[in-house]
Amino acid sequence: MISYISASWIYPVSTEPLENGVIALHPDGTIEEVLSAEEASARNITDISSHEGILVPGLVNTHCHLELSHLKGKIAEHTGLPGFVQQVIQQRASSPEEIENAMLHADEEMYNNGIVAVGDISNQPVSKNVKLNSKIYYHTFVEAMGFNPAKAGDIIAAAKLTREAFAPLKATIVPHAPYSVSAELFQEINALSGITGESVSIHNQETADENAFFESKTGHFLKLYEFLGLDISFFEAGGKSSLQSYLPRLSAAPRTLLVHNTFTSKADLEFAALTHPQLFWCLCPNANLYIENRLPDIALLKDAGIRLTLGTDSLASNHQLSILAEMLSLQEREAVSFEDVLRWATLNGAAFLGIDTIYGSFEKGKKPGLNLITGTEEGRITNRTKIKRLI
């Protein structure tokens, strides 16, 4: 039996907003059709569940680290990325029970915050059971990391075992970051993702030290390698930014998400446009503020016409796992419209994960989830704005 839901505004994302529009739904949440108020009236549809607020599709979190949820409140803010990484390494060990319970709470938090799909970074299979029993769709990105060229084979072999441990869940092997992946390891990863066209994720230009390392082999990453006991005498700086140094090493076949982009320049964007045709760019504003106390140049990224998505990063680097909170941070600080941040939070993220035939927008045949947003003011999210999951 079809049910009908209406609100002050419906934002299908793929089409223009509808004032007092109506969504026709099957019992399992599949959309039958999206109607304007006039169309619903002309068909004498009266049994409508009406709401004050804005109806939007389920939100997509394209970058999370569920397995770090137990570190909430344990990592100091504004340390910069090298200091943050060092803290995570020092504090990561916890009991299996603590890690499991923290992940369960984090998963529930995301569900209650209207998130329907997550691109989740994993270094080990500890999150498998939580994901298997979750109401959220997860695509797990198994990180491969190792800057020593001689160890590339061993690293990819271990990553394959982790990927297999996540079966039957969707999992792909991806590079961690430019400063932690050797050219040889990039080749091993490409051999896997380049053939299948799988979605790939990589941390990109999260700190100024990342660019300094690749441009001149200077900056705080040298101290991080020393802390880790790694000999990087083999590495020679190439005088180019991080992005311009590593992007040619990535296969251009898969959809590729560059995460953070806090220190990405116009020259980097122009280089990327010529180098890789399937790039998506993820913003994690609250994590950027937590670690570096700085946001990317949002206006530069927006004006470049690139495909932007949103992520929360982890509870080690954020106070909550809420895409709505990320949308708020952007609108508080930047001249971006509700329509823009909503597209980043829904359809663009679903497109990156390759699930946009189901999620991301209100369209016939999709099952994207249904959220009610209340408390906006003149098209802007405020501290009073709430999100309620209806389906």
Side-chain angles (χ1 to χ4, degrees):
M1 181 179 179
I2 300 295
S3 61
Y4 297 92
I5 299 178
S6 178
S8 310
W9 286 94
I10 291 177
Y11 277 72
V13 180
S14 57
T15 57
E16 293 298 312
L18 297 171
E19 187 172 8
N20 298 314
V22 177
I23 298 177
L25 289 167
H26 291 276
D28 68 349
T30 301
I31 294 176
E32 173 60 28
E33 56 185 336
V34 181
L35 304 168
S36 67
E38 293 75 19
E39 289 171 329
S41 177
R43 288 165 53 176
N44 295 316
I45 298 172
T46 56
D47 188 15
I48 301 174
S49 176
S50 298
H51 301 270
E52 292 291 328
I54 303 170
L55 287 179
V56 303
L59 306 180
V60 180
N61 180 358
T62 55
H63 184 73
C64 186
H65 296 253
L66 188 65
E67 66 187 32
L68 299 182
S69 299
H70 62 288
L71 296 180
K72 182 178 181 179
K74 296 181 180 180
I75 307 297
E77 297 184 49
H78 307 159
T79 62
L81 183 62
F84 171 80
V85 172
Q86 187 169 332
Q87 288 184 85
V88 170
I89 293 170
Q90 291 171 329
Q91 305 230 25
R92 190 159 184 161
S94 295
S95 70
E97 293 76 16
E98 181 184 358
I99 294 172
E100 180 88 2
N101 288 335
M103 290 189 294
L104 286 168
H105 287 303
D107 174 75
E108 182 180 13
E109 178 186 353
M110 285 194 282
Y111 181 82
N112 291 335
N113 283 327
I115 293 170
V116 296
V118 177
D120 187 62
I121 302 294
S122 295
N123 300 113
Q124 51 191 325
V126 293
S127 60
K128 178 180 179 177
N129 287 337
V130 174
K131 292 172 180 175
L132 274 174
N133 295 295
S134 176
K135 299 174 184 177
I136 294 172
Y137 169 87
Y138 280 95
H139 183 135
T140 298
F141 295 114
V142 176
E143 279 187 336
M145 64 177 77
F147 207 52
N148 186 334
K151 295 183 178 180
D154 292 338
I155 293 166
I156 205 70
K160 286 179 180 178
L161 291 175
T162 302
R163 180 189 62 184
E164 292 165 6
F166 273 103
L169 294 168
K170 182 77 171 180
T172 54
I173 296 173
V174 302
H176 166 250
Y179 54 83
S180 63
V181 176
S182 66
E184 290 75 8
L185 185 53
F186 271 119
Q187 291 177 356
E188 295 280 2
I189 294 169
N190 288 343
L192 300 174
S193 63
I195 295 173
T196 60
E198 295 281 7
S199 299
V200 169
S201 170
I202 184 170
H203 295 81
N204 178 66
Q205 294 175 304
E206 192 173 354
T207 176
D209 289 304
E210 183 178 319
N211 283 330
F213 179 69
F214 282 93
E215 289 167 354
S216 58
K217 201 175 180 179
T218 58
H220 288 285
F221 273 111
L222 298 180
K223 294 181 179 179
L224 178 60
Y225 292 124
E226 183 180 347
F227 166 75
L228 295 172
L230 298 177
D231 178 7
I232 59 164
S233 58
F234 62 88
F235 174 75
E236 295 182 5
K240 298 178 181 179
S241 72
S242 171
L243 182 144
Q244 295 181 44
S245 298
Y246 80 83
L247 196 57
R249 296 175 179 169
L250 272 177
S251 169
R255 296 178 298 271
T256 300
L257 187 71
L258 307 186
V259 183
H260 293 302
N261 314 300
T262 318
F263 291 86
T264 300
S265 69
K266 183 178 180 181
D268 290 326
L269 291 169
E270 292 171 347
F271 180 88
L274 297 172
T275 306
H276 200 303
Q278 297 217 71
L279 288 182
F280 291 77
W281 305 71
C282 179
L283 304 175
C284 302
N286 287 329
N288 297 150
L289 294 170
Y290 193 109
I291 297 172
E292 294 281 342
N293 199 27
R294 171 175 170 153
L295 291 180
D297 189 335
I298 305 298
L300 175 67
L301 297 174
K302 182 175 177 294
D303 291 346
I306 58 179
R307 292 172 291 186
L308 291 163
T309 73
L310 297 183
T312 60
D313 213 350
S314 73
L315 285 174
S317 59
N318 206 332
H319 298 289
Q320 68 279 306
L321 298 181
S322 167
I323 291 296
L324 183 68
E326 306 299 326
M327 296 164 70
L328 170 62
S329 286
L330 289 171
Q331 283 210 300
E332 279 183 329
R333 296 167 175 84
E334 305 290 338
V336 292
S337 68
F338 179 78
E339 290 90 339
D340 281 337
V341 293
L342 180 63
R343 176 174 284 271
W344 304 346
T346 54
L347 190 55
N348 284 7
F352 162 64
L353 291 174
I355 54 173
D356 48 321
T357 58
I358 301 172
Y359 300 99
S361 61
F362 292 143
E363 297 179 64
K364 180 179 174 62
K366 287 192 173 186
K367 192 178 177 181
L370 190 66
N371 292 321
L372 178 68
I373 293 179
T374 57
T376 60
E377 295 180 4
E378 299 179 349
R380 299 192 72 79
I381 300 166
T382 73
N383 287 321
R384 298 193 306 106
T385 301
K386 305 293 183 184
I387 189 166
K388 180 181 180 181
R389 188 181 190 121
L390 301 182
I391 294 178

